[in-house]
Amino acid sequence: MSTPAYESRREPEEISGWAAGGITFAACVLLIVGTFQSIAGLVAIIDDEFYVVTRNYTFDLDVSAWGWIHLIIGILLVAAGWGLFSRSTWAGVTAIVLAMLSAVANFFFIPYYPFWSILMIALAVWVIWSVTRPGAIRT
């Protein structure tokens, strides 16, 4: 029996070991970053005076507000990290968007906790790079 011309069968794509390892590592890093970001958010919510607030900062939000922002982003990052293990397209796109959002939020958080914020930005950029590698997610 022949297959109609409009119906094509797709062979499962071979993924290189580097791409598979990179996406798995990115998923693990996303889980860790999300957990750390959630903890930083909880610290800001529970102890309002833990973070030193700089004076005359342009984006001056209450530390508790930053805490809620970090907590919500952290929870979403953990969820995206779990989804990224499936290598599905939706998880990859979600991981990229949330990593960008995390990097921007941490950029604005630099005056409050500089070293930690820069480290979190670097990890977010690394996750974006890893997820956008050819063959990293299924299409």
Side-chain angles (χ1 to χ4, degrees), residues 101-127:
L101 187 62
S102 172
V104 169
N106 280 294
F107 174 77
F108 289 125
F109 200 66
I110 287 175
Y112 298 95
Y113 220 53
F115 179 74
W116 185 256
S117 295
I118 292 170
L119 177 65
M120 297 299 277
I121 291 169
L123 289 172
V125 169
W126 190 88
V127 167

Side-chain angles (χ1 to χ4, degrees), residues 40-100:
L42 284 174
V43 167
I45 292 168
I46 293 169
D47 185 7
D48 221 12
E49 296 179 11
F50 179 79
Y51 296 109
V52 177
V53 181
T54 57
R55 299 168 89 192
N56 299 325
Y57 181 51
T58 304
F59 305 103
D60 188 22
L61 282 178
D62 181 47
V63 176
S64 294
W66 279 118
W68 282 107
I69 291 169
H70 282 285
L71 180 63
I72 291 168
I73 292 173
I75 291 169
L76 293 173
L77 285 170
V78 169
W82 279 114
L84 202 55
F85 281 115
S86 68
R87 288 186 32 236
S88 62
T89 305
W90 72 265
V93 171
T94 304
I96 291 169
V97 169
L98 289 175
M100 288 185 331

